[in-house]
């Protein structure tokens, strides 16, 4: 039996370009892994079946596809096809990462399932090949193998290092409803129709804030091109941003396509104050504090 734990991600910057012919959008993003974890356990099955069971803590009425569509199941199939065996596996996922929250929960489980199945089946796969399989599963999956703070180019799947100092304290405002990533990108297309969108970029001031490890500069430089579109689909999110501003968060940014919002706090006390204010304001379903960066999918005992 193998257990792998995998973090959630937030995007410190998310630049989006015009829709490509393959339907995806070019991205220039800075991913940042935070210590909110899912755990994926892999056990040999008695036959060749690949199955998954989900246990989700926190959010009520969560619906998680637990069949063949599930990204973790697809990850297990990818490793099995790569090795060329027909062993079965029982995957059990303990979820803490919000579902459809913009924090890549499904992609995280896929990254963890890749690592767990490789280990269970003693798969001698190279790093590059593993990253290729990860990219086929989803745009965010390669980053969840790495973790830390890293650039994502292409449709988000091409990962490269950024020089990043320091550790950061985040307050995350969670909702008990999700936002569909595909719907948010469609709204982005609608809003930008007729505009000449250039190639997406990560702002220099964000990279320089990360190089120097300056939390105030980082807070001021957080940016997400999907934010306006997500707010258009979910206008009540504005109330979440308003609370963060009133509590002098160093910065705020939507996580991916939302609806989770991340606030940067200056210290533990500030994080507690922010969390209390958010919880008291009824603008979100739950509040958690998290710190980053942390490593990607790793074995856990
Ligand atoms: O890659 P992933 O499966 O996470 O993407 C989910 C959906 O989000 C895609 O089907 C697409 O509609 C949209 N997307 C996009 N451009 C990206 C990443 C995702 O349009 N770079």
């Amino acid at each position: 039996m193998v257990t792998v734990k995998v973090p959630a991600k937030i995007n410190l910057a998310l630049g989006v370009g015009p829709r490509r012919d393959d339907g995806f959008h070019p991205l220039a993003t800075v991913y940042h892994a935070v210590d909110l974890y899912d755990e994926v356990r892999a056990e040999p099955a008695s036959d060749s079946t690949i199955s998954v069971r989900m246990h989700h803590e926190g959010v009520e009425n969560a619906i998680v596809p637990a069949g063949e569509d599930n990204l973790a199941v697809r990850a297990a199939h990818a490793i099995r096809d790569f090795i060329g065996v027909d062993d079965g596996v029982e995957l059990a996922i303990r979820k803490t990462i919000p579902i459809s929250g913009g924090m890549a929960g499904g992609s995280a489980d896929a990254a963890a399932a890749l690592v767990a199945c490789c280990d269970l089946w003693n798969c001698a796969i190279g790093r590059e090949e593993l990253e290729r399989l990860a990219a086929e599963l989803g745009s965010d999956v390669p980053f969840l193998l790495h973790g830390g703070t890293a650039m994502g180019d292409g449709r988000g799947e091409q990962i490269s290092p950024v020089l990043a100092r320091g550790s950061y304290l985040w307050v995350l405002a969670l909702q008990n409803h999700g936002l569909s990533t595909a719907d948010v990108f469609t709204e982005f297309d609608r809003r930008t129709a007729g505009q000449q969108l250039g190639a997406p970029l990560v702002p220099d001031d964000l990279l320089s804030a990360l190089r120097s490890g300056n939390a105030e500069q980082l807070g001021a430089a957080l940016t997400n091109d999907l934010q306006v579109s997500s707010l258009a689909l979910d206008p009540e999110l504005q109330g979440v941003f308003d609370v963060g501003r009133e509590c002098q968060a160093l910065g705020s940014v939507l996580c991916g396509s939302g609806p989770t919002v991340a606030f940067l706090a200056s210290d533990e006390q500030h994080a507690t104050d922010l969390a209390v204010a958010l919880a008291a304001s009824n603008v979100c379903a739950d509040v958690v504090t998290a710190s980053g960066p942390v490593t990607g999918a790793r074995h856990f005992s």
Side-chain angles (χ1 to χ4, degrees):
M1 183 164 91
V2 181
T3 306
V4 172
K5 92 177 190 182
V6 63
K9 64 86 182 159
I10 64 176
N11 302 79
L12 305 180
L14 181 56
V16 183
R19 189 183 281 271
R20 308 189 307 205
D21 291 343
D22 65 0
F24 287 91
H25 294 72
L27 302 183
T29 188
V30 176
Y31 291 112
H32 181 73
V34 296
D35 63 351
L36 191 61
Y37 294 103
D38 279 1
E39 278 172 39
V40 176
R41 198 183 64 203
E43 267 183 279
S46 52
D47 57 18
S48 63
T49 310
I50 293 178
S51 64
V52 65
R53 279 182 296 123
M54 289 275 184
H55 176 65
H56 189 263
E57 293 168 85
V59 181
E60 282 173 53
N61 303 324
I63 300 166
V64 181
E68 292 283 310
D69 289 349
N70 182 277
L71 267 189
V73 170
R74 287 175 46 203
H77 276 284
I79 296 296
R80 190 165 77 167
D81 292 349
F82 177 82
I83 314 174
V85 292
D86 69 349
D87 295 18
V89 60
E90 288 178 10
L91 299 169
I93 304 181
R94 259 172 86 95
K95 288 205 72 67
T96 308
I97 305 175
I99 292 160
S100 298
M103 302 189 73
S107 302
D109 298 343
L114 284 174
V115 173
C117 290
C118 275
D119 199 61
L120 190 69
W121 293 326
N122 290 317
C123 172
I125 186 170
R127 191 79 199 175
E128 243 173 61
E129 190 64 14
L130 187 63
E131 282 174 9
R132 194 185 60 74
L133 296 182
E136 280 173 11
L137 292 167
S139 309
D140 298 330
V141 183
F143 171 70
L144 275 317
L145 290 175
H146 280 261
T149 304
M151 279 284 291
D153 293 299
R155 60 180 169 87
E157 87 286 15
Q158 293 165 20
I159 302 303
S160 53
V162 292
L163 186 58
R165 284 200 181 86
S167 177
Y168 301 94
L169 204 52
W170 303 94
V171 178
L172 303 166
L174 313 183
Q175 304 296 338
N176 58 13
H177 60 274
L179 264 179
S180 149
T181 304
D183 289 354
V184 172
F185 275 106
T186 301
E187 174 65 12
F188 174 86
D189 293 340
R190 205 186 59 75
R191 301 182 79 82
T192 55
Q195 289 177 24
Q196 283 292 61
L197 286 183
L201 284 174
V202 168
D204 281 342
D205 51 354
L206 186 116
L207 294 174
S208 112
L210 285 172
R211 270 196 302 275
S212 57
N214 184 317
E216 270 179 33
Q217 267 178 31
L218 179 64
L222 298 169
T223 177
N224 183 336
D225 285 352
L226 293 178
Q227 205 159 293
V228 173
S229 306
S230 300
L231 273 164
L233 296 182
D234 192 351
E236 292 192 356
L237 282 179
Q238 188 54 54
V240 181
F241 284 101
D242 292 345
V243 174
R245 194 169 316 110
E246 281 157 24
C247 295
Q248 272 122 37
L250 299 183
S252 61
V253 72
L254 190 75
C255 299
S257 56
T260 308
V261 179
F263 297 99
L264 184 56
S266 47
D267 55 32
E268 298 269 357
Q269 184 59 54
H270 188 206
T272 305
D273 293 347
L274 256 165
V276 168
L278 282 162
S281 65
N282 288 325
V283 290
C284 52
D286 201 1
V287 187
V288 290
T289 53
S291 66
V294 294
T295 55
R298 292 291 180 278
H299 290 263
F300 172 68
S301 45

